[in-house]
Amino acid sequence: MNPAPSTETCYIATRPDGVIPASAAAGTPVNLADHIGETIGHPNPGRRWYDDPPFSHFCLVTEPGEALDDPQQWPARLFIVEYLGIAGDGDPRFSPHQRYAHAIRVVEETNEELALGPKPRGQETLDYLNNVLPGQAAHWAQAWMDNPDRMAKAFNDWRLSSTADRARGIDAQTEAAQIARATHRRAALNTMLRLARETAEHAARDHGADDTAVHFAGRYARNTITAVLFADSLTTPSRNALRGAGLHTDTSPTP
């Protein structure tokens, strides 16, 4: 008798071609896009869930915001899957959303933006990243080059001091990390932090910024993308801080 599929809704994120990244790295590529509605057995299953090569089992997650297990994994596609038979579980302290299986059924492909957050948060974050952030980053880099001493002091004050309507920058970052954990979107946050830094640094270099200004733009972008990603969950003082209250010049746009 074939094992029954799980009753949990699970997710796997793949490369844009539908291949699971870990499977390609192991030399046994598994393409979920080619198997919609079908059952797939693992090409080289391990004896247990945590032994043998890195790709000795399928790794599924019960939360779409944790599907991007590698911060380099974007752009991506997102698939709803079921595991068959007995599954292993992730460490309940750090990854309670993970499931490990040697056989899965590919149910359907779903909107990849769910890997970043519930609608419309994922799309709004991508729109900010692609359409707004490059112009902001060039502005931030220019502000740094115009007066690096003033901007360095402003950034330090932003990190360590609060106002009536703005939290300390380090406290706002901590709150965002706690929200990411509580809402099962740590993978989404890590991915967007990397993309925001890379996008901002690229835009700043294109603007002719020096290395210090480029670094500043990248650090700044990690905060503003966080404000967009968790706009509905952050407290107002933390959201204001991550948006850059106290750092912006009069002509600097805010997310």
Side-chain angles (χ1 to χ4, degrees), residues 138 140-148 151 204 207-210 213:
W140 301 332
Q142 186 61 55
W144 182 279
M145 290 189 294
D146 288 345
N147 196 330
M151 290 303 296
H207 185 69
D210 58 35

Side-chain angles (χ1 to χ4, degrees), residues 130-187:
N130 296 320
N131 302 320
V132 179
L133 180 56
Q136 286 185 324
H139 181 94
W140 301 332
Q142 186 61 55
W144 182 279
M145 290 189 294
D146 288 345
N147 196 330
D149 291 339
R150 180 180 66 82
M151 290 303 296
K153 182 179 184 306
F155 190 73
N156 192 58
D157 289 344
W158 171 87
R159 289 183 65 250
L160 302 176
S161 302
S162 62
T163 65
D165 60 353
R166 174 183 63 78
R168 297 193 307 167
I170 56 174
D171 292 337
Q173 292 166 339
T174 298
E175 181 181 318
Q178 292 171 340
I179 290 171
R181 181 180 178 85
T183 60
H184 309 291
R185 293 164 68 195
R186 286 180 296 176

Side-chain angles (χ1 to χ4, degrees), residues 62-247:
T62 58
E63 302 289 344
E66 298 290 358
L68 301 170
D69 58 351
D70 181 349
Q72 303 296 323
Q73 194 180 345
W74 191 268
R77 293 167 74 174
L78 188 65
F79 293 84
I80 297 176
V81 297
E82 299 169 334
Y83 56 84
L84 282 71
I86 299 173
D89 294 334
D91 188 323
R93 297 169 300 172
F94 306 111
S95 52
H97 53 274
Q98 288 185 338
R99 304 290 182 267
Y100 305 107
H102 287 155
I104 61 173
R105 189 174 81 86
V106 186
V107 179
E108 63 180 342
E109 183 171 4
T110 189
N111 190 331
E112 69 275 8
E113 293 162 8
L114 293 176
L116 303 178
K119 294 182 179 180
R121 190 57 49 215
Q123 182 58 57
E124 289 178 353
T125 304
L126 291 174
D127 286 344
Y128 170 73
L129 176 77
N130 296 320
N131 302 320
V132 179
L133 180 56
Q136 286 185 324
H139 181 94
W140 301 332
Q142 186 61 55
W144 182 279
M145 290 189 294
D146 288 345
N147 196 330
D149 291 339
R150 180 180 66 82
M151 290 303 296
K153 182 179 184 306
F155 190 73
N156 192 58
D157 289 344
W158 171 87
R159 289 183 65 250
L160 302 176
S161 302
S162 62
T163 65
D165 60 353
R166 174 183 63 78
R168 297 193 307 167
I170 56 174
D171 292 337
Q173 292 166 339
T174 298
E175 181 181 318
Q178 292 171 340
I179 290 171
R181 181 180 178 85
T183 60
H184 309 291
R185 293 164 68 195
R186 286 180 296 176
L189 176 60
N190 289 338
T191 298
M192 296 315 298
L193 290 177
R194 176 186 65 84
L195 290 173
R197 177 182 57 78
E198 291 177 352
T199 298
E201 289 180 351
H202 181 76
R205 288 193 181 95
D206 283 351
H207 185 69
D210 58 35
D211 288 345
T212 307
V214 168
H215 179 66
F216 171 70
R219 292 184 68 183
Y220 200 159
R222 286 167 58 90
N223 293 304
T224 56
I225 200 77
T226 301
V228 178
L229 188 65
F230 296 124
D232 299 331
S233 304
L234 290 160
T235 60
T236 298
S238 289
R239 185 167 56 249
N240 289 343
L242 292 170
R243 284 175 171 172
L247 278 174

